[in-house]
Amino acid sequence: MVIIFKTSKLERVLNSERLIIKRYGPRRSELIKRRLYELKAATVLEDLRNIPQLRCHELKGNRKEQLSVDLDHPYRLIFEPADNPAPRKDDAGLDWTKITAIKIIGVEDTHE
């Protein structure tokens, strides 16, 4: 899967061993790197649906159209489809079988 980042600063932090540890600490940094690797290895978003430890799912409310994968509770890696327009099913939901690019938005506690 193609991965882009919301900002160049976020890309710089998540791709630098020193900066990612400084920002997120050693444990969360390892989880972030693992999740990015898993996302890159997927061909389409649907490939991630059945990996239990990821808990890849669509968000609701003001985060509609965004998705997340678990890190360490309560933090998640937040992203959205980067395909423009985002592939849709007949019911207007996201078509995970056709999403081939994502934009990383950040690492957040979505329950705040």
Side-chain angles (χ1 to χ4, degrees):
M1 185 158 353
V2 174
I3 297 178
I4 61 174
F5 297 84
K6 182 177 180 180
T7 66
S8 58
K9 179 180 178 183
L10 180 62
E11 181 176 15
R12 193 170 49 253
V13 169
L14 295 185
N15 286 313
S16 164
E17 185 71 22
R18 183 181 64 79
L19 294 176
I20 195 171
I21 291 172
K22 183 178 178 182
R23 170 89 170 138
Y24 299 107
R27 184 176 190 296
R28 189 170 304 138
S29 295
E30 285 304 314
L31 287 168
I32 292 168
K33 291 186 294 186
R34 184 180 312 149
R35 297 300 180 247
L36 288 172
Y37 174 81
E38 291 162 339
L39 289 166
K40 286 177 188 172
T43 303
V44 293
L45 192 58
E46 181 68 23
D47 295 344
L48 305 174
R49 190 180 295 269
N50 297 317
I51 302 174
Q53 66 271 26
L54 292 181
R55 278 192 354 107
C56 187
H57 62 281
E58 295 180 45
L59 302 176
K60 298 176 183 176
N62 64 346
R63 292 190 173 271
K64 189 175 180 183
E65 305 295 316
Q66 294 180 354
L67 301 100
S68 74
V69 291
D70 280 357
L71 297 171
D72 55 325
H73 185 75
Y75 290 92
R76 296 181 177 152
L77 183 65
I78 311 297
F79 58 95
E80 62 189 12
D83 301 281
N84 194 6
R88 301 271 175 200
K89 297 184 286 187
D90 292 338
D91 66 2
L94 292 174
D95 188 345
W96 289 35
T97 64
K98 295 181 181 164
I99 295 174
T100 60
I102 59 171
K103 180 192 302 182
I104 303 294
I105 296 171
V107 174
E108 302 175 28
D109 173 0
T110 58
H111 300 106
E112 290 184 339

